[in-house]
Amino acid sequence: MTIMTLIKNGVVIDTEPEPVVLGRVDVRIEGDTIAEVGPDLPAGPGAEVIDATGRIVLPGFVDTHRHTWQAGIRAVAPDITFGEYLRRVLGELAPRHRPRDVHAGNLAGALECLDSGITTLLDWSHIQNSPAHTDAAVRALHESGIRAVFGYCYPGPVEELAVATKGVREQLFDTSDGLVTMVIAALGPEIAGEERALAEWRLAADLGLPVTAHLGGHGRESAQRGLAFLEENGLLATPTTFVHALHYTDEEFKRIAAAGGSVSVSPVDEMNLGLGYPTTGRARAAGIPTGLSADTVVCSSGDMFSQMRTAHLLERGRPEGAGLGFTTRDVLRMATIEGAQVVGLADVVGSLRPGKQADLVLLRTDTLGMAAAHDPIGAVVLNADPSSVETVLVAGRPVKRGGRLLRHDLPAVLADLAETAGAVVKA
């Protein structure tokens, strides 16, 4: 039997094609799908009614790139450089993670996302220490209830890449709920070389999967050479997300746009790690779908409000007023429908268009930090924080209500995470 839900009396924000305040209208949900948005909608027999009086209703946020397993090492290195991150986090701490630690981190990290209104997550997972680690990561995503795109990054020999990746797809992604899907998280060409890139992108094309890769964040020469290699070998025919696209020229951004590429910006980490000044406005000006990401909580906040505010501040603060045309509406679009484009789910989530999945967030406005806000979109971007998130729905199912996460024994989740934190860092 299809469950009917009606969200009434909220101030509704939609984001497609551009963010707009619809005013006090209702959202009707049939099962897992948005059925209708409009004034004074009838509840219908047996419908559950959610009274959103004093609430802002909007699509759930989309995080386009997060190393979710790192929830157990939060703030372990808050002031490091990128080189120190590679040495400390990936060189020392990652190998110490047991499968149970990956499960604990991924589950807690995904729940952290839901708690703060992120309903869709691209989990850029470079913790495949063994098949058991991969199984633990994917299982945790399923258990959390989040909508996730699992970015499978295989670290082993390139000769084993295809067999390992195909095995993971066949064994872990034959699922009926449709909430967890898969992409290739590639290490080439800038990190692991061009031979590996050829294998990764060709495998992605063979499997019909997109690619997400750290591209353009390792200096000007590396960015130029890597992009040229991808173009010369026809690899950008496969949808590709450029993570940390910091060192491209405007002309190169136009080429990425023409190839159908997308960009993931991590505004807090890109500044904190010394990678470079986020290219938010330049990428979007070239016509590239550009989303936001938390990247890693070892040296960044994990909520989308912090990322939106940082992106807004840094873009508007560009020299000589170059970014003053960037608005709170632009950054909210990046956190919702544009982020959905980046992770390949724009027809599924990211806006309130009828027929899309009912991934929604209700924000409180009856707090001192949110009261009397004249522009609801400005309030979401500049004033709200995770404590504002009262209700979260994924595929029409409440995962948070009344400010509390549902379906999980949170003390047990936190206890597992604490055990992981102690075991990994003190090892």
Side-chain angles (χ1 to χ4, degrees):
M1 181 178 176
T2 301
I3 298 174
M4 305 289 185
T5 305
L6 185 66
I7 303 174
K8 291 191 67 70
N9 303 321
V11 174
V12 176
I13 298 172
D14 199 4
T15 55
E16 188 180 13
E18 299 292 336
V20 61
V21 179
L22 300 180
R24 199 171 302 281
V25 297
D26 305 333
V27 180
R28 184 167 61 85
I29 300 167
E30 295 183 1
D32 60 2
T33 304
I34 298 169
E36 189 176 3
V37 179
D40 302 319
L41 297 180
E48 178 186 5
V49 177
I50 298 176
D51 184 4
T53 301
R55 307 294 183 261
I56 295 173
V57 181
L58 73 161
F61 301 128
V62 180
D63 187 324
T64 60
H65 154 246
R66 178 188 294 240
H67 306 301
T68 316
W69 61 270
Q70 294 176 358
I73 50 175
R74 183 187 311 276
V76 73
D79 303 307
I80 58 170
T81 65
F82 181 60
E84 292 168 338
Y85 168 85
L86 294 177
R87 179 190 62 79
R88 172 69 169 146
V89 176
L90 299 188
E92 294 179 4
L93 300 181
R96 298 177 186 173
H97 277 68
R98 304 159 295 180
R100 62 182 293 176
D101 301 320
V102 174
H103 181 273
N106 255 35
L107 180 58
L111 292 178
E112 175 189 3
C113 288
L114 291 173
D115 193 45
S116 63
I118 296 169
T119 54
T120 298
L121 162 69
L122 191 142
D123 178 22
W124 215 105
S125 186
H126 50 1
I127 191 68
Q128 320 312 321
N129 298 350
S130 73
H133 287 74
T134 306
D135 178 80
V138 175
R139 181 161 43 87
L141 295 176
H142 281 289
E143 291 172 7
S144 72
I146 201 167
R147 188 181 304 278
V149 180
F150 182 70
Y152 177 70
C153 178
Y154 180 69
V158 67
E159 296 82 9
E160 300 173 3
L161 172 68
V163 171
T165 304
K166 290 177 181 178
V168 166
R169 192 184 193 198
E170 293 169 0
Q171 295 166 24
L172 301 182
F173 290 89
D174 181 18
T175 176
S176 59
D177 66 13
L179 288 181
V180 183
T181 54
M182 180 179 174
V183 299
I184 301 296
L187 291 173
E190 293 189 48
I191 296 174
E194 295 176 352
E195 179 186 359
R196 187 173 195 93
L198 283 174
E200 290 169 329
W201 264 262
R202 287 172 177 172
L203 175 62
D206 181 49
L207 297 177
L209 297 176
V211 173
T212 175
H214 295 80
L215 295 166
H218 308 283
R220 172 66 192 136
E221 182 181 348
S222 177
Q224 183 180 31
R225 185 175 60 249
L227 178 59
F229 174 80
L230 295 174
E231 292 174 322
E232 290 165 4
N233 288 277
L235 302 182
L236 292 183
T238 295
T240 299
T241 296
F242 290 66
V243 178
H244 306 314
L246 293 161
H247 298 288
Y248 296 115
T249 65
D250 291 347
E251 187 273 333
E252 286 168 337
F253 273 136
K254 291 178 182 177
R255 283 155 47 193
I256 292 170
S262 60
V263 163
S264 175
V265 175
S266 307
V268 175
D269 273 2
E270 287 168 6
M271 294 296 286
N272 199 19
L273 291 170
L275 294 175
Y277 205 94
T279 54
T280 305
R282 292 202 301 115
R284 297 183 83 244
I288 302 174
T290 305
L292 295 170
S293 88
D295 192 354
T296 170
V297 295
V298 305
C299 57
S300 172
S301 50
D303 65 281
M304 189 57 68
F305 302 104
S306 297
Q307 306 305 325
M308 287 193 291
R309 272 194 284 278
T310 303
H312 182 258
L313 169 70
L314 292 176
E315 184 59 27
R316 288 183 64 84
R318 286 172 59 199
E320 300 179 357
L324 287 176
F326 187 72
T327 68
T328 52
R329 279 159 171 74
D330 291 323
V331 78
L332 181 62
R333 192 178 196 281
M334 291 176 67
T336 54
I337 183 61
E338 211 161 322
Q341 288 178 270
V342 171
V343 301
L345 295 177
D347 290 333
V348 180
V349 296
S351 75
L352 302 183
R353 175 167 29 107
K356 285 194 174 186
Q357 289 281 284
D359 292 8
L360 305 175
V361 174
L362 277 64
L363 304 180
R364 295 179 58 183
T365 63
D366 59 347
T367 64
L368 290 173
M370 287 287 283
H374 294 267
D375 183 336
I377 292 176
V380 171
V381 173
L382 299 179
N383 305 114
D385 61 41
S387 69
S388 307
V389 180
E390 181 185 66
T391 300
V392 179
L393 282 72
V394 176
R397 295 179 295 177
V399 295
K400 183 177 184 180
R401 177 168 282 177
R404 297 175 62 86
L405 287 171
L406 310 176
R407 300 172 54 194
H408 289 276
D409 181 349
L410 196 55
V413 171
L414 295 175
D416 286 345
L417 192 68
E419 196 277 333
T420 280
V424 168
V425 175
K426 294 177 183 178

